Amino acid sequence: MSSSTLTSADKKRLRDRRAQQALRSKKQQYTAQLEDKVAHCERYHDDSSTQHLMRVIEGLQRENEMLRRRQEGLKALVESWEELDLNPPPPLRHPITPSLLFLTLPPTTITTCPPSPNPLDLLYGTNTNPLAHAIYTHSLRRPLRDPERLAFGWLSYHYAKWLFDPSPSTFSHLPIFLHPVPEQLSIPHPASLDLLIWPEIRVNLIREWGSYTGQKDDLFGFLACCLKVRWPWGEPVLERDKGNELVVREEFLERFMCVNGWGITREFVGVYPGVVRGVDVGRVLVEVG
């Protein structure tokens, strides 16, 4: 039947059917779009994803709270120093570099580690103390004897605890020779220089670091070989406490916590005389035998 022979009623019914078909087609398209959106939400915004995002947010909130407490602790610490007229250092102002392996750990990880390490963790590594294990792993890059590995690891550990959680308590664990000098507070420098034993050597390297940047690997590698604790060869560095646990031997702890308990071999002085400029070389030389 051609359109010319359709009656008005037939034409109306035909228009109605076409309109209904178009409406059904739109509804089907809209339903398909809704189903796609629901599927997308189920895929990317399910409970597990939401929980993950919540955990990330909670972690950031804890990190912010930790940083806020650290800032308040620094303020209180500086105020207490001013009251006592001790003039200890404010936070160090140097670029955080990977020269110190523990600096790559999250601050919350460092602050939640024990106040002092188990000496065996510094000598042999551990699965329970991330900071001690990071220091141990880093020490494996150098051919260190147990006395130097333990002593320098112990100093690094407590320095990290003070750096990321500054307080009178953490500062009290630092030997006097590791207290920051003015150059450390005013001249940007690699963080690794802050752990050098002699303040005079730290100052020399901080002031002239540009001259040593290209040979820093050789410098630190050679220094690690030549830096020694003044401790008898083969003498134990550990002892058992009353609970039969191995701890740092008291005499050894006293030795490396004093600047006079450290020395440098004359080989290093001969190769890097500028590094020890201003140092009483006779005082720092140590003979290994």
Side-chain angles (χ1 to χ4, degrees):
M1 180 181 298
S2 65
S3 59
S4 60
T5 60
L6 293 176
T7 64
S8 297
D10 292 334
K11 291 180 179 179
K12 183 178 183 305
R13 284 194 294 272
L14 181 60
R15 289 195 300 270
D16 290 343
R17 284 198 298 272
R18 290 175 177 174
Q20 291 173 359
Q21 289 176 351
L23 180 61
R24 285 195 296 271
S25 178
K26 289 181 179 180
K27 286 182 177 180
Q28 290 174 350
Q29 292 177 358
Y30 182 68
T31 300
Q33 291 175 353
L34 288 178
E35 291 175 347
D36 289 342
K37 291 181 179 180
V38 170
H40 182 274
C41 290
E42 290 177 346
R43 180 176 181 183
Y44 296 103
H45 303 287
D46 59 5
D47 289 342
S48 61
S49 297
T50 302
Q51 292 174 3
H52 172 70
L53 291 174
M54 290 300 296
R55 287 195 296 270
V56 171
I57 292 172
E58 291 173 356
L60 291 173
Q61 289 174 336
R62 287 194 298 270
E63 191 88 358
N64 288 336
E65 178 63 19
M66 184 277 299
L67 292 174
R68 185 186 65 79
R69 289 198 304 270
R70 180 188 176 194
Q71 184 179 22
E72 292 176 352
L74 282 171
K75 181 180 178 182
L77 180 60
V78 172
E79 289 175 351
S80 69
W81 286 334
E82 291 175 349
E83 292 174 359
L84 295 174
D85 195 27
L86 295 178
N87 194 30
L92 299 183
R93 293 184 293 175
H94 55 56
I96 298 300
T97 71
S99 300
L100 293 177
L101 187 60
F102 58 71
L103 293 177
T104 64
L105 295 173
T108 51
T109 299
I110 295 176
T111 57
T112 55
C113 287
S116 288
N118 184 312
L120 296 178
D121 294 345
L122 297 173
L123 289 172
Y124 307 112
T126 175
N127 292 325
T128 59
N129 188 329
L131 176 56
H133 189 73
I135 293 172
Y136 159 75
T137 302
H138 190 58
S139 73
L140 295 179
R141 299 172 53 194
R142 309 299 184 192
L144 300 174
R145 304 182 308 165
D146 280 356
E148 285 75 38
R149 190 182 308 279
L150 176 57
F152 197 71
W154 188 272
L155 297 178
S156 300
Y157 189 96
H158 287 101
Y159 178 83
K161 294 293 291 184
W162 170 73
L163 182 64
F164 288 94
D165 186 20
S167 69
S169 176
T170 55
F171 188 75
S172 69
H173 285 89
L174 296 182
I176 294 176
F177 61 79
L178 277 190
H179 291 182
V181 295
E183 285 78 4
Q184 290 174 253
L185 307 176
S186 59
I187 303 175
H189 59 279
S192 53
L193 301 184
D194 295 325
L195 280 171
L196 295 177
I197 303 300
W198 294 273
E200 300 93 333
I201 291 180
R202 294 203 297 272
V203 170
N204 289 338
L205 286 174
I206 288 173
R207 288 177 173 173
E208 302 178 15
W209 183 243
S211 302
Y212 293 99
T213 301
Q215 50 184 319
K216 60 182 179 181
D217 291 337
D218 292 337
L219 171 63
F220 284 118
F222 196 40
L223 180 60
C225 295
C226 299
L227 183 65
K228 305 296 180 183
V229 180
R230 299 181 187 274
W231 188 250
W233 186 273
E235 187 74 13
V237 295
L238 302 178
E239 62 184 3
R240 293 195 178 274
D241 62 8
K242 294 180 180 179
N244 202 36
E245 296 292 332
L246 283 173
V247 297
V248 180
R249 189 172 171 180
E250 187 64 28
E251 296 89 342
F252 181 62
L253 180 64
E254 293 176 356
R255 183 68 56 87
F256 72 74
M257 290 293 284
C258 174
V259 70
N260 293 330
W262 292 84
I264 303 179
T265 63
R266 63 178 66 253
E267 288 83 4
F268 182 85
V269 175
V271 175
Y272 293 101
V275 173
V276 297
R277 187 177 62 253
V279 179
D280 185 347
V281 176
R283 176 172 61 88
V284 302
L285 281 181
V286 62
E287 299 295 337
V288 178

